[in-house]
Structures are given as structure tokens and as C-alpha cells.
Amino acid sequence: MTTPLLRRAEARDHATVVRVLARAFEHDPVANYMLRHDGLERAFGAFFRHAVLPHGEAWLAESGERGGAALWTPPGKWSTSGFHLLAMGPALLAAVGARRALARAMAAQRVQDRHPKAPHWYLFAVGVEPELQGRGVGSALLRVVLERCDSLREPAYLEASTETNVRIYERHGFAVTEEVRMASDAPPLWLMWREPREARP
């Protein structure tokens, strides 16, 4: 079991966060469906800088020279429209590719339309570098925010891209609410919700 050093990510950590998440999602089926093979860093960079960093809920888990990262947003702060979309547009277009941009935008919107309206903490992405997977780093990145969810009595939400990840999230209190496909040729995606847990006596 690795005991990582957890801290909030800052603007100076941009390259580290992007590298960690790109390595973690290199073989992810949904990421590979949505993005060009070289688009992971651009996409994670855009979401980190414009959608997550302003709210101070990007986290790094450092274990030596390797680690993990998680991109959370607090209740009411997630947005992929207006200013955020305009700011992220060029990077996301390059990450997806111009020829597929419209189809992938429509696919993403199908998932966004199902995003819960009730206030919640949103986990956009959590990833651990391949060499450290299975050693507790990802669980530590989940717990640092989920413990706050429990203390504040606030729910959390995420979209899982593999059945293996579904089982991991279930161990942390999430439950599948719906299985969806963004398009007929897309891999499945599992929408998951977590009610806050009661504090143990």
C-alpha cells in the first residue's frame, strides 16, 4: 500500500496534472472514443485550467516522482457552457479533431443532459499513473473529498467508463443510476451517484 502525499493542485502543477491523467487514461475506452490519440493532454489541460482550477478542487497525490490526480468541482460549480466552453473551445477542437467535432459534441451533450440538477460534488476525472495503480493512490484521492461530502452531508456524482471502475466506486459508496451510450457506436458509460454516509460512532 502506497501512502501518497495529498495536496491541492495549483496553476504551477498544470503539466504534472495533465501528464498523470493522460497516462492514466491512455487506454480508457470512452476517452479513446471521444478524443484523438494525441488529444488527452489537450483535453485534460483545458478542463483543469478552465473548469476545475478556479474552484480549488483539483488534487494531486504524490508518491516519489509518480502519482495521481483528481478533478472535482463543488456543488453548483460545474459548467461546460458560456465562458467555460468558449475558453476551452480551441483546445477541445484540437483534442477531438475538426472532422469529428460535431458528432463528439452531440455525444458529450447526451451525457451532459443527464447530469443531475440537484447540488452535488462532481468528479470529472481521477487517474493514477500505471505503475502505481492498485496501491491505494486512487482511493486516497477519492477519500479526501468524499470525507468532506460526508461531513457536509452533500452527495457526489461521476461517470464511470469501465466496469472495473464501477466496482471501485461502489466500494466508496457510489451506486449506478443509469447505463448509457453517447452514440450507437460508443462504449458504455455508467452514471453513478453517492449519498453522504453517516458518520461512524
Side-chain angles (χ1 to χ4, degrees):
M1 177 72 73
T2 298
T3 303
L5 172 65
L6 295 177
R7 65 177 178 86
R8 279 189 171 87
E10 303 174 1
R12 61 185 173 87
D13 298 309
H14 180 273
T16 301
V17 170
V18 166
R19 186 201 73 235
V20 166
L21 291 175
R23 281 173 53 80
F25 279 81
E26 184 178 3
H27 301 294
D28 182 86
V30 174
N32 280 287
Y33 172 79
M34 291 294 292
L35 305 171
R36 291 162 46 102
H37 72 277
D38 60 349
L40 284 167
E41 291 195 5
R42 288 191 180 96
F44 282 123
F47 281 104
F48 171 65
R49 177 178 289 116
H50 299 294
V52 177
L53 187 60
H55 309 298
E57 292 299 339
W59 286 83
L60 271 174
E62 299 173 320
S63 181
E65 296 181 354
R66 302 295 182 188
L71 304 183
W72 290 89
T73 53
K77 299 299 184 181
W78 175 252
S79 176
T80 57
S81 60
F83 168 77
H84 292 91
L85 183 60
L86 184 63
M88 292 188 292
L92 294 182
L93 180 61
V96 171
R99 294 178 63 181
R100 302 189 306 169
L102 179 58
R104 294 304 183 260
M106 294 173 63
Q109 190 60 48
R110 291 189 184 99
V111 177
Q112 185 61 31
D113 288 344
R114 290 171 165 81
H115 201 103
K117 302 298 188 292
H120 61 275
W121 289 79
Y122 176 48
L123 177 60
F124 173 70
V126 58
V128 178
E129 294 196 71
E131 296 87 346
L132 292 180
Q133 291 176 7
R135 301 186 187 181
V137 179
S139 291
L141 285 163
L142 291 172
R143 284 195 302 268
V144 70
V145 172
L146 293 180
E147 288 175 356
R148 192 155 21 131
C149 291
D150 293 341
S151 66
L152 296 172
R153 310 300 303 150
E154 294 175 338
Y157 168 76
L158 59 82
E159 296 113 6
S161 54
T162 70
E163 290 184 280
T164 297
N165 288 342
V166 167
R167 291 191 291 271
I168 292 171
Y169 294 134
E170 285 175 337
R171 293 201 292 269
H172 289 273
F174 286 89
V176 173
T177 60
E178 186 179 3
E179 179 181 336
V180 301
R181 290 180 185 269
M182 296 180 288
S184 59
D185 62 339
L189 195 64
W190 292 267
L191 314 186
M192 304 189 72
W193 182 262
R194 181 187 186 273
E195 291 292 340
R197 287 177 168 176
E198 296 289 342
R200 295 180 180 177

